[in-house]
Amino acid sequence: MRDFSGDHGWLSINTATVRKSSGVELPLPQIIEACARRGIRAISPWRDQVASAGLATVSKLVRDHGLALSGYCRGGMFPAIDQAGRQAARDDNRRAVDEARELGAACLVLVVGGLPGALAGRAAHKDIALSRSQVTDGIAELLEYSRSARMPLAIEPLHPMYAADRACINTLEQALDLCEQLDPLSTGADAGADGTTQPAALGVAVDVYHVWWDPKLQSQIERAGRARQMALHVCDWLTPTVDLLNDRGMMGDGVIDIARIRGWMEDNGFAGFSEVEIFSSANWWQREHGEVLDTCIARHRSAV
Ligand code: ZN
């Protein structure tokens, strides 16, 4: 397992973590400058932040600073009530692939969607199995496009508390079932440690906040192997958690054994960035972004 205690070479900042500085929206170019000044080598930006700053502007900044993108957030939200809705999702996801490619992202992260309408407060139906089948169809279709663009797709299973409004894929097992169904890997004589000969077009993003509780986590990480592990998102689970979405903790402040999970991933071939992704409306978004980034660097060394 890599030793992170001496430097932050494998730290990535999910830019939602400093989306606000002292409670005020912080534009992506300023986030990028602040990361670069601290020797942070990678970020993972959100589409709305990129759109606000302009794709060309962000692309140039990323290149000028030699930044890597550990991922791009995000595609998905496949289920819809009608064909027009599914078509809109299809078109939007293709644009997300194009943007990810322009920015040189390692993968496009997919938050797959739940019951249509639930995110806006009113679910159109209660048929989660229907949503799951629409997710399968949506990813299958997007894969044709993302493969031709050589942009890997990383399914992010979300904690079951988000099954209605954000993602009806809730465990690593469920995500990997879908990977194997839609993107079977070939194996052969020149196979790597996990038996695969090709980089996967479809894999998973392991966000410790969503999966830390899962009794099958270690075995599913083994199953994912080198080819399917595309991203590691870190933060911490606070007790108590006062907001289901925007009360994520800084690494080391909660109950997740992050280092153990990272160890399992690295034992199975993961060698990428550890991406700090903290949504925190009452705490970290109220602080000055420089303080937040400096704390991320310190906790990356001590608690990741
Ligand atoms: Zn995440």
Side-chain angles (χ1 to χ4, degrees), residues 5-259:
S5 65
D7 66 74
H8 56 285
W10 288 105
L11 168 66
S12 173
I13 296 293
N14 184 297
T15 56
T17 304
V18 280
R19 143 184 311 285
K20 290 183 178 174
S21 180
S22 306
V24 178
E25 204 77 24
L26 186 67
L28 186 55
Q30 284 174 246
I31 296 174
I32 290 174
E33 300 286 356
C35 287
R37 268 200 304 278
R38 288 170 173 77
I40 292 168
R41 297 198 301 140
I43 60 168
S44 181
W46 283 68
R47 290 186 75 197
D48 64 305
Q49 294 175 304
V50 170
S52 296
L55 179 62
T57 300
V58 175
S59 180
K60 182 171 188 315
L61 271 174
V62 163
R63 278 166 226 274
D64 287 352
H65 287 296
L67 284 172
L69 260 70
S70 54
Y72 188 47
C73 295
R74 57 180 164 56
M77 296 293 166
F78 297 102
I81 47 164
D82 55 21
Q83 183 53 36
R86 287 188 288 280
Q87 180 70 37
R90 189 189 96 130
D91 295 346
D92 193 50
N93 275 302
R94 290 185 173 207
R95 283 193 294 273
V97 167
D98 293 343
E99 293 163 22
R101 192 161 159 72
E102 165 64 25
L103 294 168
C107 59
L108 174 66
V109 173
L110 299 181
V111 170
V112 298
L115 301 172
L119 193 56
R122 191 177 182 86
H125 60 72
K126 301 181 180 180
D127 190 347
I128 196 167
L130 173 63
S131 285
R132 287 179 173 142
S133 83
Q134 290 181 351
V135 166
T136 303
D137 294 346
I139 295 177
E141 188 171 57
L142 184 60
L143 257 180
E144 291 177 26
Y145 188 77
S146 61
R147 269 205 190 94
S148 67
R150 296 186 171 278
M151 178 51 59
L153 303 177
I155 302 171
E156 181 165 348
L158 260 52
H159 189 284
M161 67 183 171
Y162 304 114
D165 56 6
R166 287 190 162 76
C168 56
I169 293 184
N170 307 104
T171 62
L172 209 47
E173 181 174 37
Q174 226 186 326
L176 289 167
D177 285 350
L178 207 46
C179 290
E180 288 176 7
Q181 178 188 342
L182 299 178
D183 179 43
L185 301 176
S186 67
T187 55
D190 58 342
D194 60 353
T196 58
T197 56
Q198 62 190 21
L202 184 60
V204 293
V206 177
D207 185 326
V208 298
Y209 194 72
H210 296 302
V211 301
W212 70 275
W213 55 273
D214 185 350
K216 292 184 177 176
L217 182 57
Q218 184 179 10
S219 61
Q220 292 301 317
I221 284 172
E222 284 169 14
R223 176 186 176 199
R226 185 189 50 170
R228 303 272 193 214
Q229 295 185 89
M230 292 179 175
L232 166 63
H233 298 175
V234 299
C235 67
D236 217 332
W237 185 283
L238 301 175
T239 52
T241 292
V242 298
D243 183 289
L244 294 189
L245 184 64
N246 292 324
D247 190 28
R248 291 180 172 217
M250 180 63 67
M251 300 81 71
D253 288 348
V255 299
I256 304 178
D257 192 341
I258 301 169

